[in-house]
Amino acid sequence: MKIGILALQGAVAEHIRMIEKAGGEGVSVKRPEQLRELQGIIIPGGESTTIGKLMRTYGFIDALREFHKQGNPVFGTCAGLIVIAKEIAGQPEAHLELMDIKVARNAFGRQRESFETDLEVKGIADDVRAVFIRAPLIEAVGAGVEVLSSYKGQIVAAQQGSLLATSFHPELTDDHRIHGYFLDMVKKAHQS
Ligand code: GLN
């Protein structure tokens, strides 16, 4: 399975490494035409406003909506979670508007700008290593969204069909089980 990592801004090389550890092939994506040869894509962490602007500039908004519509899974981590959300608290406009979630940016406050913890993630394990960096939270989820993980009562991972989202950075650890889970989603999506 060929998985793209959107390489406009943010943590790309680390995701490629994790996808390869999990048994897939990771490709850095800079142009929408590259989507044709991919079976899934990861939108990485970074700065969501910057990623959103670059996506508009390079024609990725419609291209990624179409990519997903054709049945290819999309995984957003941290800023990537913000990018795929239907609604961003306090902002009039969202970006891809794919996943039925409302997110709050930089939701952990100054004291907790970055931290690491082990999380229970439904369907994966009860000790998934998670790194949070100026992380967003999922404030609300629509009916079709399954909550996969919470931290102190707040939602930090969720899935809606072929969409996966985490508030944290699964690529900054040695734990590639989340990438393995995404790879399984991609395999299932392309089995028929
Ligand atoms: N705070 C960033 C944003 O709002 C996300 C941080 C991250 O991706 N590590 O876009």
Side-chain angles (χ1 to χ4, degrees):
M1 291 285 130
K2 250 196 198 180
I3 310 295
I5 321 298
L6 188 68
L8 300 176
Q9 192 254 355
V12 177
E14 294 87 348
H15 276 295
I16 293 182
R17 188 175 61 92
M18 294 303 254
I19 282 294
E20 310 233 306
K21 262 191 164 181
E25 187 183 342
V27 183
S28 159
V29 176
K30 295 205 153 95
R31 289 171 292 107
E33 303 81 68
Q34 287 177 272
L35 294 173
R36 270 187 240 126
E37 56 193 59
L38 303 174
Q39 283 81 53
I41 193 158
I42 298 176
I43 303 178
E47 212 285 316
S48 57
T49 309
T50 308
I51 296 175
K53 270 190 198 144
L54 292 168
M55 283 172 63
R56 283 177 183 84
T57 305
Y58 293 102
F60 270 109
I61 299 281
D62 287 344
L64 281 170
R65 283 181 181 152
E66 186 56 33
F67 181 72
H68 178 251
K69 212 166 143 192
Q70 285 169 2
N72 299 296
V74 179
F75 178 16
T77 65
C78 204
L81 168 151
I82 300 167
V83 167
I84 67 174
K86 281 222 165 108
E87 199 181 340
I88 304 170
Q91 286 186 205
E93 271 182 52
H95 304 285
L96 284 175
E97 299 178 341
L98 289 176
M99 191 165 180
D100 196 6
I101 54 175
K102 179 179 178 186
V103 302
R105 296 176 64 190
N106 303 322
F108 288 92
R110 283 227 185 119
Q111 269 86 45
R112 306 225 64 191
E113 284 214 328
S114 91
F115 61 98
E116 266 186 68
T117 188
D118 285 334
L119 288 177
E120 184 177 341
V121 183
K122 202 171 163 189
I124 303 182
D126 61 4
D127 60 348
V128 174
R129 195 72 187 152
V131 179
F132 290 81
I133 305 169
R134 292 175 58 76
L137 272 179
I138 302 173
E139 272 188 4
V141 299
V145 179
E146 187 181 11
V147 173
L148 298 184
S149 187
S150 298
Y151 174 75
K152 298 197 171 166
Q154 311 220 252
I155 304 167
V156 294
Q159 180 175 352
Q160 179 181 11
S162 58
L163 298 165
L164 180 66
T166 64
S167 298
F168 51 89
H169 289 258
E171 80 285 8
L172 298 179
T173 66
D174 284 328
D175 190 342
H176 63 267
R177 288 177 293 182
I178 299 246
H179 288 79
Y181 184 84
F182 182 61
L183 215 50
D184 284 343
M185 281 172 59
V186 173
K187 280 179 199 155
K188 274 186 209 137
H190 289 276
Q191 240 167 36
S192 60

